Amino acid sequence: GVYASGDSGGGVRTVKYAPDGTPAWTATYTNSSSYLAFQSFAVDNDGNSYLVPFDLDAKSFVTIQYDINGNSVWTNTFKSSPTSIESPSDVAVDASGNIFVTGSSIDGGTIQFLTIKYASDGSTLWINPYSLVGSESADRVIIDPQGNVIVVGDSQGGGAQHKYVIVKYSNSGTLLWTNAIAAANYVGGGVPQVTTDPSGNVFIVGGTPGAASSAADYTSVKLSSAGVPVWTNRFFESGA
């Protein structure tokens, strides 16, 4: 089936469509005390789906599991401390049905990556924060063919020159390696996108180092499965 999910009147509505385009089910997640904004969505091999909205009032991670028929199975919320702001950005599911949610945690002036692994029943398996210089915002999480977890985001570090930060964990949450590559001179820089090949090599696409938002172009970087840079290619179209 095909899934569509997005904001709806302070909540988040998800629709599953059958192959012929007819709606199979519709589910709306709301919270009477909070305004919610859609962030990410994923589907596992059994047809269960996972919605991650941002709770703008509670400032917390929220993860909802729907079964194959659109029934809500469990809902998890996470907040590091009473004063923290947790902003989720992405969700991924591995072949075993484990769920990985990443985003940013802000507390006491420090901004850092925050990644959580849930089992298929919603129980929390591990929680990993990561900070390079205390100004990191996680944007993407993917699972490589070996089951490792790769998180990518942006680091400003108090200066104009941004960096893309890549963090690789084992499926059990062990930190395997980190890398930081030069990024564009503006927040997001096209938002770093990430994928892997069957061998576990990592490919990052984002704004070209030094580029400003008024003259944006893109650079692709290949890292080996061990996090070592292999090559860098820039795409720039004159006048674009």
Side-chain angles (χ1 to χ4, degrees), residues 205-208 211 215-220 232-238 240:
V205 178
T208 290
D217 55 295
Y218 293 91
T219 289
S220 301
T232 300
N233 280 335
R234 180 186 180 190
F235 173 80
F236 179 75
E237 185 175 8
S238 180

Side-chain angles (χ1 to χ4, degrees), residues 187-202:
V187 174
V191 180
Q193 305 295 327
V194 58
T195 190
T196 66
D197 65 15
S199 298
N201 297 302
V202 181

Side-chain angles (χ1 to χ4, degrees), residues 2 18 43 74 80 114 117-118 120 127 132 135 179 201 210 226 237:
V2 176
V43 181
W74 51 258
S80 297
L114 183 66
K117 177 182 179 180
Y118 296 112
S120 58
I127 300 170
L132 182 66
S135 184
N179 207 331
N201 297 302
E237 185 175 8

Side-chain angles (χ1 to χ4, degrees), residues 13 16 33 43 47 50 57 72 90 99 135-136 139 158 183 192-193 203 217 224 232 238:
R13 180 166 295 176
K16 178 182 178 181
S33 62
V43 181
Y50 303 89
D57 292 293
S72 177
D90 202 13
I99 305 98
S135 184
E136 282 71 52
D139 295 302
Q193 305 295 327
F203 300 84
D217 55 295
S224 72
T232 300
S238 180

Side-chain angles (χ1 to χ4, degrees), residues 46-235:
D46 295 324
N48 302 301
S49 52
Y50 303 89
L51 170 66
V52 174
F54 175 41
D55 188 322
L56 279 78
D57 292 293
K59 306 289 194 298
S60 60
F61 277 21
V62 181
T63 307
I64 304 102
Q65 184 195 60
Y66 296 114
D67 67 18
I68 195 170
N69 296 311
N71 301 302
S72 177
V73 179
W74 51 258
T75 300
N76 274 348
T77 60
F78 178 82
K79 196 171 177 67
S80 297
S81 76
T83 59
S84 65
I85 299 173
E86 264 67 51
S87 177
S89 58
D90 202 13
V91 60
V93 185
D94 68 14
S96 299
N98 299 300
I99 305 98
F100 302 82
V101 179
T102 200
S104 305
S105 178
I106 307 171
D107 202 4
T110 297
I111 309 171
Q112 60 184 348
F113 287 11
L114 183 66
T115 305
I116 303 175
K117 177 182 179 180
Y118 296 112
S120 58
D121 64 0
S123 56
T124 302
L125 298 178
W126 51 257
I127 300 170
N128 278 347
Y130 176 79
S131 178
L132 182 66
V133 293
S135 184
E136 282 71 52
S137 176
D139 295 302
R140 298 287 180 262
V141 59
I142 64 169
I143 313 303
D144 73 11
Q146 292 72 38
N148 300 303
V149 183
I150 299 169
V151 180
V152 178
D154 180 89
S155 175
Q156 184 172 3
Q161 181 64 61
H162 287 250
K163 293 182 178 179
Y164 295 138
V165 178
I166 307 100
V167 181
K168 181 176 180 178
Y169 298 105
S170 70
N171 201 275
S172 60
T174 302
L175 180 62
L176 299 177
W177 54 257
T178 66
N179 207 331
I181 58 178
N185 285 353
Y186 56 101
V187 174
V191 180
Q193 305 295 327
V194 58
T195 190
T196 66
D197 65 15
S199 298
N201 297 302
V202 181
F203 300 84
I204 308 294
V205 178
T208 290
S213 58
S214 59
D217 55 295
Y218 293 91
T219 289
S220 301
V221 179
K222 177 181 178 179
L223 305 176
S224 72
S225 59
V228 178
V230 178
W231 51 251
T232 300
N233 280 335
R234 180 186 180 190
F235 173 80

